[in-house]
Amino acid sequence: MNKAISGFSKLSKEEKIKWIANEYFSTPTEAIALLKNYWNSDEKIQQLHDEFIENTITNFYIPLGVAPNFLINGKYSTIPMAIEESSVVAAASKAAKFWSTRGGFKTTVINTEKIGQVHFIYTGDVSKLNSFFAQTKNKFFKQAESITVNMQKRGGGILDIVLNDKTDLLPNYFQLHATFETKDSMGANFINSCLEQFAKTLKEEAHNYDLFTQSEKEIEVVMSILSNYVPNCLVRAEVSCPVSELEEKHIPNPEEFAHKFIQAVQIAEVEPYRAVTHNKGIMNGVDAVVLATGNDFRAVEAGIHAYASKNGKYSSLSHAKIENGIFTFWLEIPLALGTVGGLTSLHPLVKLSLEMLEKPSAKELMQFVAVAGLAQNFAALRSLTTTGIQEGHMKMHLNNIINQFEASDEERILIQKHFKKNTVTHSAVVTFIEEIRK
């Protein structure tokens, strides 16, 4: 294709698919058939999915699995996880079962504060701006009441607004830094609506402020937008037990295991190259639950990784210690989540996932997500410090390799039997398949 297409968004779904198939595929008929093979047979459900985004041509499947046996604050739960990576759900389930006999997971929501900012340029006397803000602050709340009235009825709303001087970073750069409580909604639309009203109030009131010169009245609002960095919207999850109780099949010496486990965590605390992979393992659990419950995993990822750098260096999100013979492993992560609004009331499988979690509040969902991340991290570190990560991972990956080579039912049985006793590697599986096909 050597030229742009005009009016693509105005084409029907069928027309878009036909154009793509003819433009990019050597066998257009097969491409069209593949795309349509992933459509839902229920036209209403398919239309619902079509309207989630723009230019939809089909559905992209990701498996939805479940991890049972999570004992959280004394209550058992089964956690839904939407993810494509082998061994993640199995690892979370294994960690959940391990800790279910050792006291389970303990969780605490530390805070639920969300953040939004109006970024603006002001050229003039800073002391005047400070006086103006102090005099005008109440008007920001007052003039946003039409937006906040329903949220206030649910116990949320605007918590505070402060003026931040950022001229040390950029010339003439200032912020209105606002904090919010959005209860069970993630709150993006609510926060952004409030911020845009703040920006409008800021400009109008500045024009009417007698102490400003004409140039000082010309405040330039650059943008008004929520932040996905929410360091005060925190949840903590932890597990603990006497060191001696860590013993199991792959942990014959619990004292040695606990010491090595803590060393592994400490390495991730000081070494960014390790910390990134360490935290990626946590996010395997976090993202899977966030996605299954219709929340924005990109926002969660960005906020959590920023939090991992809060001390000026990228570091581990989880920590471990031994005190008085008690092994404790924990994490604290920022999570801005919602259980109302967005996809939570639209996507059938999101609604199913939330019902499986017994229709949690946003605070309760924060706890489920944090626990999944901690479980995933524990499972990975246990493997790394005992048998190694590849043994379990490659056994779970075996099915993917078998499917890649379109093995028959008879071949599948032979392959799985062979690799019960032999190490799984991609090359070993390929070699074995070639041998049985000769």
Side-chain angles (χ1 to χ4, degrees):
M1 179 185 174
N2 286 322
K3 62 179 181 179
I5 179 173
S6 177
F8 182 78
S9 64
K10 294 181 175 61
L11 298 178
S12 68
K13 182 179 174 183
E14 290 278 0
E15 289 169 335
K16 288 171 185 169
I17 290 172
K18 185 176 180 181
W19 178 83
I20 289 168
N22 289 326
E23 195 70 39
Y24 292 103
F25 296 93
S26 57
T27 53
T29 303
E30 291 180 14
I32 292 170
L34 178 62
L35 290 172
K36 291 187 174 183
N37 196 40
Y38 281 83
W39 289 4
N40 197 294
S41 57
D42 186 318
E43 290 185 6
K44 287 185 177 180
I45 291 178
Q46 185 55 54
Q47 183 180 352
L48 185 67
H49 283 69
D50 285 349
E51 293 175 357
F52 284 154
I53 62 169
E54 305 78 28
N55 295 339
T56 307
I57 56 174
T58 193
N59 306 314
F60 191 91
Y61 290 178
I62 290 178
L64 177 66
V66 295
N69 300 317
F70 272 95
L71 181 60
I72 307 170
N73 297 334
K75 181 181 178 181
Y76 278 100
S77 295
T78 296
I79 296 181
M81 304 178 77
I83 192 166
E84 85 298 340
E85 185 174 333
S86 302
S87 78
V88 169
V89 177
S93 301
K94 193 172 182 179
K97 190 172 184 180
F98 179 93
W99 284 107
S100 70
T101 59
R102 294 166 175 83
F105 295 82
K106 305 293 188 295
T107 58
T108 307
V109 174
I110 299 169
N111 206 336
T112 56
E113 178 186 280
K114 315 281 176 62
I115 290 170
Q117 297 168 324
V118 177
H119 305 268
F120 67 94
I121 303 299
Y122 166 80
T123 305
D125 187 333
V126 176
S127 64
K128 284 191 199 178
L129 182 63
N130 287 324
S131 298
F132 162 76
F133 175 74
Q135 181 177 315
T136 311
K137 183 173 179 177
N138 286 339
K139 291 185 179 179
F140 290 114
F141 288 87
K142 185 73 175 174
Q143 294 182 17
E145 282 183 352
S146 62
I147 302 167
T148 63
V149 59
N150 288 332
M151 185 65 75
Q152 286 176 326
K153 288 178 181 177
R154 300 199 296 271
I158 306 163
L159 299 177
D160 196 12
I161 308 169
V162 299
L163 174 66
N164 285 338
D165 183 338
K166 295 287 184 175
T167 54
D168 59 322
L169 302 176
L170 286 173
N172 307 316
Y173 170 39
F174 295 84
Q175 300 170 348
L176 293 182
H177 182 94
T179 50
F180 302 85
E181 170 58 60
T182 61
K183 304 307 286 183
D184 287 335
S185 68
M186 188 272 175
N189 290 331
F190 168 75
I191 292 171
N192 287 335
S193 295
C194 288
L195 294 171
E196 290 183 2
Q197 179 57 54
F198 296 164
K200 184 179 178 181
T201 300
L202 175 67
K203 295 189 74 172
E204 289 177 351
E205 293 300 320
H207 272 285
N208 296 325
Y209 190 59
D210 292 337
L211 297 183
F212 280 158
T213 64
Q214 189 57 42
S215 62
E216 288 171 335
K217 289 181 178 183
E218 299 302 324
I219 287 176
E220 179 191 351
V221 173
V222 179
M223 56 185 167
S224 308
I225 186 69
L226 90 162
S227 174
N228 291 128
Y229 184 42
V230 284
N232 293 324
C233 189
L234 281 177
V235 60
R236 176 187 172 99
E238 72 171 52
V239 287
S240 64
C241 70
V243 171
S244 60
E245 292 184 10
L246 291 170
E247 184 175 358
E248 54 128 31
K249 178 182 177 182
H250 294 296
I251 307 174
N253 187 328
E255 289 80 12
E256 181 182 319
F257 166 77
H259 176 70
K260 196 172 181 182
F261 188 100
I262 290 171
Q263 284 182 321
V265 174
Q266 289 172 337
I267 289 170
E269 289 173 336
V270 300
E271 171 52 67
Y273 282 93
R274 172 57 198 147
V276 170
T277 309
H278 178 95
N279 290 345
K280 185 271 180 184
I282 293 172
M283 299 313 295
N284 278 343
V286 169
D287 283 352
V289 185
V290 171
L291 187 56
T293 56
N295 278 270
D296 186 345
F297 70 92
R298 286 88 52 201
V300 167
E301 280 270 356
I304 287 179
H305 289 302
Y307 189 76
S309 303
K310 66 183 185 298
N311 294 323
K313 182 179 180 180
Y314 192 88
S315 182
S316 170
L317 292 162
S318 62
H319 310 280
K321 66 179 180 179
I322 297 174
E323 282 184 1
N324 301 319
I326 303 296
F327 170 83
T328 304
F329 179 49
W330 76 97
L331 59 71
E332 288 181 9
I333 52 175
L335 289 170
L337 303 174
T339 55
V340 298
L343 288 186
T344 61
S345 59
L346 288 176
H347 197 300
L349 289 179
V350 168
K351 290 194 285 186
L352 181 142
S353 294
L354 290 171
E355 189 168 350
M356 189 186 307
L357 293 173
E358 300 183 65
K359 299 181 179 179
S361 65
K363 281 186 176 182
E364 290 168 336
L365 183 57
M366 288 171 71
Q367 295 169 75
F368 286 123
V369 171
V371 160
L374 188 68
Q376 200 63 39
N377 197 209
F378 177 80
L381 290 173
R382 179 174 61 176
S383 293
L384 284 168
T385 56
T386 55
T387 60
I389 200 75
Q390 284 302 91
E391 179 182 329
H393 179 75
M394 290 307 293
K395 281 185 178 179
M396 293 299 300
H397 191 53
L398 179 60
N399 281 338
N400 288 344
I401 303 173
I402 291 172
N403 290 334
Q404 181 183 342
F405 284 88
E406 299 181 349
S408 66
D409 291 342
E410 293 78 9
E411 289 173 335
R412 185 180 292 269
I413 292 169
L414 290 172
I415 294 164
Q416 289 173 336
K417 183 178 179 180
H418 176 79
F419 284 102
K420 277 186 178 179
K421 297 180 180 179
N422 294 278
T423 301
V424 178
T425 67
H426 189 275
S427 59
V429 177
V430 172
T431 299
F432 186 73
I433 289 174
E434 290 174 346
E435 287 177 355
I436 63 176
R437 286 180 174 177
K438 283 181 181 177

